[in-house]
Amino acid sequence: MHDIAAKVQAAGVVGAGGAGFPTHIKLAAAADTYLVNGAECEPMLRTDQQLAACYPELLIQGLTYAMAATGAQHGIIALKAKYQAAISALQPLLPPAIRIEILRDIYPAGDEVITIWLTTGRRVPPGGLPLDIGVVVNNVQTLINVAKAMQGEPVTTKTLTVTGAVSNPVTVTVPLGTALTDVLALAGGVTCSQPAYIDGGPMMGKITDLASPVTKTTGGLIVLPADHLLIKSKQQTVESVLRIAKTVCEQCCYCTELCPRHIIGHELPPHLIVRCVNYNAVGQPQVLQSALTCSECGVCEAYSCPVGISPMRVNMALKSQFRAVNIRYQGQLGPADPMAEHRLIPSARLVGRLNLKPWYPPEAPLQSELYQPDRVILPLRQHIGAPAVPVVQAGDTVTAGQLIATLPAETLGARVHASITGVVEQVSGQAITIRKGGIHHD
Ligand code: SF4
Ligand code: SF4
């Protein structure tokens, strides 16, 4: 068992879905169920569903190794019914201990707490972890990386969807550290005059710039016009969010009635949190502290609130205040809303509400070729935990897959490997730059 976690650690595998939690830590735990989260519920992203369709053997191998490491007797692959190619590819290969669970096309089916509830009926307690109820969760790309790690192949590439206002929406595989400018060019460039860029999905992704490199946690690249409502909302300052909340919240409760965490029995009542904040934190401290359990799914901001308030951003501001003074939420799990399943948001309705239809291509086909950049910038922290420590110097020649940054024993984090063959151009406190074929002198 320990051998699997050790090989996965050596390969630098981290959660590819965005969190970047080192996978070997999850593999060192004991669980009865290992869940592959293939919901990919963010509208527009097309990565995991295509990886599952193209590499079903690797996915099942990765899951089988993960089940062996954790002692899980049950493996579940959660997919939406519309991912028919993935379902057809996986179905004939399933061993008896692994089953596919079909999800409706709803948001946020891929929030791991919701995926667990939809596929097993179990509910993660507020502030708790899936492991608290015997479940470990990874996404499709992470488990494919686990299978590769067991073959001695470290994580050196990332597959991501490039979509929105681009000429040819596409899903590509690039070496880690590739500049987003290069990735954008693979989609034929932008089709709007003033573009803005989101790393990840439209709901949970963050504004990014093209100078950033692709990392192990890059969720995707979405291009939208700079005046699109999603871009404006992501750019809003917290001061502006709080001012609007204070001025116009009508306490309609829609944010709470549709909050995915609230409906499965977590306390989290966004309308009461907004009310408390608007009245100088008057209210139960525990109500305010329940903001710590917000998943930042964006439903309250982008879908529920009729007057443009973002309870999510209020929660995020509270979270950083509470975390700064080590406050933890202590509430218990309550009864679930009997209508909970029907309160999750149909994806098509969400796309309409977000005004994404003009930028919403039906496909972003997966390209099989690996892009070959001239230069990569590999951040030393592409994961939760401490930054990796360089083991190479400027001028060193490295080959793709070679270890270039490691971690002291017992330190939470992940190793970094060269993603192309070339010469180390620069080693800084933040990143290692490798240029293909030699040192570049500007
Ligand atoms: S949905 Fe908007 S207006 Fe209604 S209670 Fe929540 S924040 Fe206030
Ligand atoms: S972002 Fe809003 S809807 Fe989502 S979990 Fe947080 S409070 Fe609930």
Side-chain angles (χ1 to χ4, degrees):
M1 304 298 175
H2 293 304
D3 188 42
I4 297 174
K7 281 189 171 160
V8 167
Q9 179 179 23
V13 182
V14 305
F21 190 79
T23 304
H24 66 275
I25 305 285
K26 288 191 176 185
L27 295 183
D32 63 66
T33 301
Y34 215 102
L35 174 62
V36 184
N37 188 345
E40 199 159 44
C41 65
E42 280 269 18
M44 303 181 86
L45 300 185
R46 303 270 186 276
T47 303
D48 279 352
Q49 54 200 270
Q50 296 191 81
L51 286 175
C54 290
Y55 305 104
E57 293 91 354
L58 278 179
L59 176 56
I60 290 174
Q61 278 170 24
L63 175 55
T64 305
Y65 282 123
M67 290 168 66
T70 54
Q73 307 96 50
H74 309 287
I76 299 175
I77 305 175
L79 296 166
K80 288 186 177 175
K82 66 179 184 178
Y83 303 159
Q84 205 49 57
I87 295 167
S88 303
L90 286 161
Q91 201 90 57
L93 306 176
L94 294 178
I98 298 179
R99 68 179 194 270
I100 292 175
E101 285 284 341
I102 302 294
L103 305 168
R104 288 190 296 131
D105 195 8
I106 47 174
Y107 184 86
D111 166 6
E112 67 179 12
V113 168
I114 300 300
T115 323
I116 293 170
W117 171 62
L118 290 171
T119 55
T120 69
R122 299 183 202 174
R123 295 180 298 150
V124 178
L129 295 170
L131 202 55
D132 297 338
I133 52 168
V135 184
V136 179
V137 187
N138 275 133
N139 83 344
V140 171
Q141 194 162 178
T142 310
L143 282 164
I144 287 176
N145 286 339
V146 167
K148 291 180 177 175
M150 295 306 292
Q151 296 165 4
E153 192 181 321
V155 182
T156 58
T157 63
K158 177 78 184 179
T159 303
L160 70 158
T161 299
V162 194
T163 189
V166 296
S167 296
N168 299 305
V170 71
T171 299
V172 292
T173 302
V174 299
L176 293 170
T178 301
L180 287 179
T181 327
D182 292 10
V183 175
L184 185 60
L186 297 174
V190 301
T191 56
C192 62
S193 56
Q194 286 196 309
Y197 307 98
I198 298 175
D199 170 353
M203 293 293 280
M204 299 184 76
K206 308 269 185 281
I207 299 277
T208 188
D209 62 79
L210 293 183
S212 305
V214 173
T215 71
K216 294 177 184 179
T217 57
T218 302
L221 180 62
I222 296 178
V223 185
L224 290 173
D227 60 357
H228 190 280
L229 66 91
L230 270 173
I231 303 294
K232 292 279 180 205
S233 139
K234 288 178 191 293
Q235 286 172 333
Q236 219 174 14
T237 62
V238 70
E239 292 76 21
S240 162
V241 168
L242 292 171
R243 184 173 41 75
I244 295 170
K246 200 164 210 152
T247 325
V248 293
C249 177
E250 56 200 45
Q251 287 292 289
C252 68
C253 301
Y254 290 154
C255 51
T256 297
E257 287 171 8
L258 294 178
C259 170
R261 295 297 172 97
H262 183 80
I263 62 179
I264 66 158
H266 292 197
E267 178 178 15
L268 182 58
H271 79 288
L272 288 183
I273 294 175
V274 170
R275 188 199 289 174
C276 286
V277 169
N278 287 351
Y279 291 95
N280 296 324
V282 174
Q284 295 284 335
Q286 184 171 304
V287 168
L288 279 168
Q289 289 164 14
S290 72
L292 285 162
T293 66
C294 168
S295 68
E296 301 173 20
C297 71
V299 166
C300 52
E301 171 190 281
Y303 191 85
S304 314
C305 185
V307 291
I309 295 170
S310 175
M312 176 181 78
R313 294 285 302 277
V314 173
N315 289 345
M316 288 164 73
L318 287 169
K319 276 173 157 180
S320 42
Q321 286 175 22
F322 290 141
R323 283 177 181 154
V325 289
N326 284 327
I327 287 181
R328 291 175 68 93
Y329 174 70
Q330 304 288 348
Q332 301 298 310
L333 190 61
D337 182 331
M339 297 294 287
E341 254 196 89
H342 305 286
R343 293 194 190 278
L344 297 170
I345 315 297
S347 299
R349 210 180 289 169
L350 183 63
V351 168
R353 182 69 67 89
L354 298 178
N355 192 25
L356 283 174
K357 281 187 184 158
W359 321 104
Y360 194 80
E363 293 183 350
L366 178 65
Q367 307 295 299
S368 53
E369 316 84 59
L370 175 64
Y371 175 65
Q372 299 291 338
D374 289 336
R375 186 175 190 241
V376 292
I377 300 174
L378 293 149
L380 297 171
R381 181 184 272 149
Q382 303 179 44
H383 49 260
I384 287 177
V389 180
V391 294
V392 292
Q393 300 174 354
D396 287 355
T397 300
V398 292
T399 52
Q402 181 180 328
L403 182 72
I404 56 171
T406 191
L407 281 166
E410 311 300 323
T411 306
L412 179 70
R415 294 173 166 191
V416 180
H417 300 79
S419 60
I420 61 172
T421 296
V423 174
V424 176
E425 193 176 60
Q426 189 184 29
V427 178
S428 74
Q430 284 75 45
I432 296 173
T433 304
I434 303 171
R435 176 165 286 276
K436 189 168 72 176
I439 301 176
H440 179 70
H441 298 286
D442 287 320

